[in-house]
Amino acid sequence: MGWKGILQLYSILPHMVQKKLYKFFRLCFDRWPCDSSLSFPLEMWLSYIQPWKYISHRVGSLSVDSEKENRDGFVNVKWKKFISENLCFYTVIFQQLLPKFFQVDLSSPENASMLFHLAKVFSKPNLGTVISEVESNFCKAPVCLLSPSFSSVNTPPPLMHNASVCGSLRQQLMNLEGPGFDYKPFFGEYQTSQVHQLLQLITQARIATAGLIKLHEASRKGWFSQLISCFNRSDTSFVSVEYNAVETKKVELYLEYTAIQLCELFQLEIPSVSLRGTSLQEKTPDTVPGPNGPCLTPLGRYQLVNRIHKFPFHYQENPDLQPIRNYEITFLVRLLHQISTAVNKNYGNKFNDFYYRETFLGQLARQLLTAPSIFYKITKTGSVPSSFRELQTLPPRVHLRYLARRQTVGYLLCLIILGYVCGYNPLKVVFFLAILTAFYFVIKAFFYPMPPPPPPSL
């Protein structure tokens, strides 16, 4: 086979595999799970739509302009024909792939890296312009497969109309998608709204990443602080510590550059993110009004799944019988509850009398006893999912559950060990701590008096 035959084969080979490859990518991105393995078909697709990266030039054949284009990331105008013949690979698959990132955790390094590479490819200086010019050939077509909402403020008007290109594009759309396909322009309102929603998710992921960075910075403590932090009752289980500080900072850079590139490509305003003093739980997930109450949006589902925001939770039953937390010691909670119940049963009337006095004894009782409260007693009725709510009150009482916290037990053990090293008996240390605690409450009752509250009413 001579050079002429090789060139003929090269010219028809892409058309022989184009439809099968297109269907393969469409099926992959439709069925592939939303996890880090998505990078495999993603890299295959990005390799196909960037043939200029894999074309080898003969030595000395590159001009000064071509070298400048390769160095600056420009797409040579000679690839406009390839982009025109494969327009659906750039636009339709991009629109199909983008919602995949609504369902993944963008604060993980793998997912942030995938999104960064996707935005980096499409943010090449003139690739968006070439796609826009190719799409503009549809505008004056007499018969068009496009949706009625093709016109877009972001799509520049065509400089000239090429009838042959228009026919080729219509034939490509018919061949790859079939008749009746609702084609949405790359810079249209639908695509812009998708990108705007993705930018919101990127903003939330940047906030979550900032929390991870603060967590890594807070973990750089001395040995004593690390020992105390083991007994810290604050629940930080919603923050992932799977990744180290270097990877977390890479994620922050990936997300920042991705937001900038997408905003420049679709001419959107770059969202401002305040990363200082951000609390990961200061807001509820994003919702919209629905017929049966608020409904989660895709952004709200992302916030809820990744524990960036959560709905406020208030325990409405007996506060003394709340579920055991992960920062509490189980057997101590149950033992102290039994002791508190026995003490309140024998001396509850005296506690109630002392609590409402206006004397110094009343001040001391208000410092030591738990304040009265109102709660709902929920009784389930029958096998049907219904319940009966009864309002009840709790009087002033002794509540020793705070002594079952790991933090409190850790402090106590450290002081006992320190006293034992210094030659003091553990019982003497505990007795000395009890005296100091009583002295503290007496001083507090004397200098910070609390007025007697009104009795709770049902």
Side-chain angles (χ1 to χ4, degrees):
M1 181 182 296
W3 282 105
K4 186 176 181 180
I6 294 177
L7 292 176
Q8 289 179 352
L9 180 62
Y10 178 78
S11 62
I12 65 173
L13 187 60
H15 300 284
M16 294 173 59
V17 300
Q18 183 190 49
K19 184 175 181 179
K20 294 182 179 179
L21 191 60
Y22 180 79
K23 294 297 183 182
F24 171 74
F25 284 136
R26 290 276 279 168
L27 183 63
C28 275
F29 293 132
D30 181 58
R31 303 291 179 86
W32 206 276
C34 297
D35 53 23
S36 59
S37 65
L38 185 65
S39 61
F40 297 115
L42 177 65
E43 291 298 333
M44 292 170 54
W45 170 61
L46 293 179
S47 299
Y48 179 80
I49 65 176
Q50 298 181 92
W52 47 84
K53 290 180 60 177
Y54 307 99
I55 296 298
S56 58
H57 300 275
R58 288 178 298 177
V59 179
S61 64
L62 287 176
S63 62
V64 176
D65 294 338
S66 298
E67 291 180 355
K68 183 178 183 299
E69 289 174 354
N70 291 337
R71 183 176 63 252
D72 296 340
F74 282 82
V75 179
N76 198 309
V77 292
K78 70 179 183 180
W79 294 107
K80 184 175 180 180
K81 181 180 179 182
F82 176 85
I83 297 174
S84 176
E85 294 175 349
N86 297 272
L87 180 64
C88 292
F89 283 87
Y90 292 86
T91 58
V92 178
I93 295 183
F94 182 88
Q95 293 170 357
Q96 179 189 5
L97 178 61
L98 207 61
K100 283 280 187 180
F101 291 97
F102 297 173
Q103 308 173 35
V104 300
D105 181 11
L106 296 180
S107 61
S108 71
E110 296 84 2
N111 298 330
S113 177
M114 285 192 295
L115 184 58
F116 170 73
H117 284 100
L118 175 63
K120 182 180 179 181
V121 170
F122 280 86
S123 64
K124 289 184 178 296
N126 61 334
L127 181 58
T129 305
V130 174
I131 294 175
S132 179
E133 291 177 356
V134 171
E135 275 191 336
S136 65
N137 288 292
F138 279 117
C139 293
K140 297 182 181 180
V143 180
C144 194
L145 296 174
L146 304 182
S147 61
S149 61
F150 175 79
S151 59
S152 172
V153 294
N154 293 334
T155 305
L159 299 178
M160 58 179 298
H161 176 63
N162 192 327
S164 62
V165 174
C166 178
S168 175
L169 293 175
R170 292 196 348 248
Q171 182 62 32
Q172 175 193 155
L173 208 61
M174 179 75 71
N175 182 41
L176 297 180
E177 291 291 350
F181 176 69
D182 185 19
Y183 181 85
K184 297 179 177 61
F186 190 73
F187 294 100
E189 294 181 0
Y190 172 78
Q191 185 61 40
T192 304
S193 64
Q194 272 196 331
V195 174
H196 182 71
Q197 191 172 2
L198 180 62
L199 289 174
Q200 291 180 327
L201 297 178
I202 292 174
T203 302
Q204 298 297 329
R206 292 179 64 187
I207 295 175
T209 306
L212 290 176
I213 293 176
K214 290 182 180 179
L215 183 65
H216 287 303
E217 292 177 351
S219 63
R220 298 177 181 177
K221 306 174 182 178
W223 65 270
F224 183 74
S225 299
Q226 291 180 357
L227 177 63
I228 296 302
S229 64
C230 295
F231 305 99
N232 196 338
R233 70 177 183 89
S234 59
D235 185 9
T236 57
S237 59
F238 62 92
V239 181
S240 173
V241 293
E242 181 181 355
Y243 312 109
N244 56 36
V246 176
E247 291 177 334
T248 306
K249 290 181 179 179
K250 284 183 180 179
V251 170
E252 185 182 19
L253 293 177
Y254 283 152
L255 296 175
E256 181 182 0
Y257 291 152
T258 300
I260 295 174
Q261 290 166 349
L262 290 176
C263 289
E264 291 178 352
L265 177 62
F266 291 92
Q267 301 178 10
L268 299 174
E269 184 180 355
I270 300 177
S272 59
V273 182
S274 178
L275 300 179
R276 293 187 176 182
T278 303
S279 175
L280 300 181
Q281 298 175 331
E282 61 184 1
K283 296 180 181 179
T284 58
D286 187 50
T287 57
V288 293
N292 299 323
C295 299
L296 286 171
T297 63
L299 174 61
R301 286 193 291 271
Y302 172 83
Q303 295 169 340
L304 193 62
V305 169
N306 295 284
R307 299 183 180 182
I308 299 174
H309 293 162
K310 67 178 184 179
F311 291 105
F313 175 78
H314 302 287
Y315 190 80
Q316 296 184 350
E317 294 193 51
N318 191 338
D320 293 350
L321 301 177
Q322 294 187 32
I324 299 175
R325 305 295 199 271
N326 60 354
Y327 54 81
E328 295 175 323
I329 301 175
T330 304
F331 81 93
L332 278 183
V333 172
R334 294 169 179 167
L335 177 62
L336 293 173
H337 174 69
Q338 294 177 0
I339 295 175
S340 301
T341 303
V343 173
N344 292 326
K345 183 178 180 180
N346 294 327
Y347 303 100
N349 294 331
K350 294 183 179 179
F351 289 157
N352 188 73
D353 181 43
F354 291 152
Y355 191 86
Y356 292 104
R357 290 185 182 181
E358 296 186 359
T359 60
F360 179 77
L361 188 59
Q363 295 288 346
L364 186 60
R366 286 188 285 275
Q367 294 289 344
L368 294 173
L369 301 177
T370 302
S373 60
I374 301 176
F375 68 95
Y376 286 99
K377 181 181 180 181
I378 301 177
T379 305
K380 295 184 179 180
T381 57
S383 58
V384 295
S386 60
S387 59
F388 176 72
R389 294 160 61 93
E390 180 184 0
L391 196 62
Q392 295 188 355
T393 61
L394 281 176
R397 62 206 181 277
V398 170
H399 188 55
L400 302 176
R401 182 167 175 169
Y402 67 93
L403 295 176
R405 297 175 181 174
R406 288 192 174 93
Q407 183 183 26
T408 306
V409 176
Y411 288 152
L412 181 60
L413 289 177
C414 289
L415 291 175
I416 291 176
I417 293 173
L418 182 62
Y420 181 78
V421 172
C422 296
Y424 294 96
N425 189 287
L427 293 178
K428 293 183 178 179
V429 174
V430 173
F431 180 73
F432 180 70
L433 289 176
I435 293 177
L436 284 181
T437 304
F439 182 73
Y440 166 77
F441 282 111
V442 168
I443 297 298
K444 189 176 180 181
F446 183 79
F447 289 100
Y448 301 98
M450 296 174 58
S457 58
L458 298 178

